[in-house]
Amino acid sequence: MGKTGRFTRTGRRAAALTAGALLLTVGCSGDDGDSGSARESNPNLLLGFRTWLKTNDSERDDALAGHALNVSLDYRSGDRDGVVSVLTDYGPWGEAEDQVEPLAEAFTTWWDADPAAKSAHFLGQGGKTATKTTLYDGDKPSNLLKEFRSWAAKNSPSGERLTPHITALGIGYGAKGSGAATVSTDYLTRKDDETQKKVDTLSGAFAEWWDGDKSAETVTVTSEDQGSRAERKLTAPR
């Protein structure tokens, strides 16, 4: 039986929906019990991938784990699908394209056609894309940006007016600590004295929607010109 991946995000929705705790996980169940438990128990995409590599039976996979430095999941307004970027230490340029292939193949296997992202871009030293792979090619992609905008428009004060100005949502995962979410807007501080208040409102809405999920520790909302920013903790107090 093949493995089935899940990348789900649930949280508080409109009153008509069932209330529940938010969960942002990458789940995997199937023949390989070790890889399944590693993927389900660690919401940090980088550390989850590294753990899976180290628990996999292949000796080659053990060595690959250290070459992945950062993983980010990004959504942009108007795009149907999310994109995963995997930063690696492969290089110098001209060699990275061949070096990264085993890691790209392993990541694609681990992702297991999860609908949260259509493709993965693997970056070598200097941040250039060394190769791309297809992660999901179905007709029902998940999109966290659309989910947040829809929820905020219905449940947050001024949300219906503010959410159309959100241009991107990203979640970055590093080797140290939890993930960090970023929300970009098209507001310009120099043209609107109320911009700071607006990004503050959006950060509060995001924190409420995120609902204490431990997969990201903070969210930063910024104006397009970076003149206004609001940072807020996401995880629930321990």
Side-chain angles (χ1 to χ4, degrees):
M1 180 181 297
K3 295 177 289 183
T4 300
R6 294 183 301 113
F7 190 106
T8 60
R9 163 69 173 81
T10 60
R12 286 187 290 178
R13 296 293 190 265
L17 299 180
T18 303
L22 179 150
L23 177 65
L24 176 60
T25 60
V26 178
C28 185
S29 61
D31 300 333
D32 188 343
D34 288 339
S35 64
S37 61
R39 201 169 176 194
E40 291 174 355
S41 64
N42 198 329
N44 181 313
L45 295 186
L46 174 63
L47 298 183
F49 175 51
R50 282 181 165 186
T51 300
W52 176 79
L53 285 171
K54 292 179 180 179
T55 56
N56 192 277
D57 292 336
S58 171
E59 293 181 1
R60 185 197 71 181
D61 286 348
D62 294 342
L64 289 178
H67 292 288
L69 306 180
N70 184 277
V71 174
S72 65
L73 176 59
D74 299 293
Y75 302 89
R76 296 192 178 279
S77 182
D79 288 351
R80 179 172 179 265
D81 306 281
V83 175
V84 172
S85 295
V86 182
L87 177 64
T88 74
D89 64 359
Y90 289 116
W93 194 248
E95 298 178 12
E97 297 94 327
D98 293 329
Q99 295 171 335
V100 78
E101 287 298 333
L103 181 69
E105 292 173 2
F107 188 90
T108 303
T109 299
W110 175 72
W111 191 262
D112 200 20
D114 189 309
K118 180 178 182 179
S119 62
H121 298 188
F122 298 87
L123 315 180
Q125 294 179 12
K128 293 184 178 181
T129 300
T131 193
K132 301 177 183 179
T133 67
T134 298
L135 298 178
Y136 172 77
D137 59 1
D139 58 359
K140 296 181 179 180
S142 300
N143 190 307
L144 295 184
L145 173 57
K146 290 182 179 179
E147 289 182 21
F148 170 52
R149 291 174 70 171
S150 177
W151 181 91
K154 297 176 182 177
N155 296 277
S156 176
S158 304
E160 186 173 359
R161 176 170 55 85
L162 298 179
T163 53
H165 293 277
I166 299 172
T167 57
L169 167 61
I171 312 171
Y173 300 91
K176 298 180 180 179
S178 300
T182 57
V183 177
S184 302
T185 71
D186 62 6
Y187 292 116
L188 296 174
T189 303
R190 64 180 184 276
K191 291 186 177 181
D192 187 351
D193 294 337
E194 296 293 310
T195 294
Q196 184 60 49
K197 184 182 295 185
K198 292 172 182 177
V199 298
D200 284 335
T201 300
L202 284 173
S203 71
F206 190 92
E208 185 177 358
W209 175 70
W210 198 254
D211 201 22
D213 181 351
K214 295 182 179 180
S215 64
E217 198 168 76
T218 62
V219 61
T220 301
V221 183
T222 64
S223 60
E224 183 177 334
D225 57 7
Q226 302 295 309
S228 296
R229 57 189 290 118
E231 186 172 325
R232 191 178 295 257
K233 285 189 175 296
L234 295 175
T235 52
R238 297 181 180 178

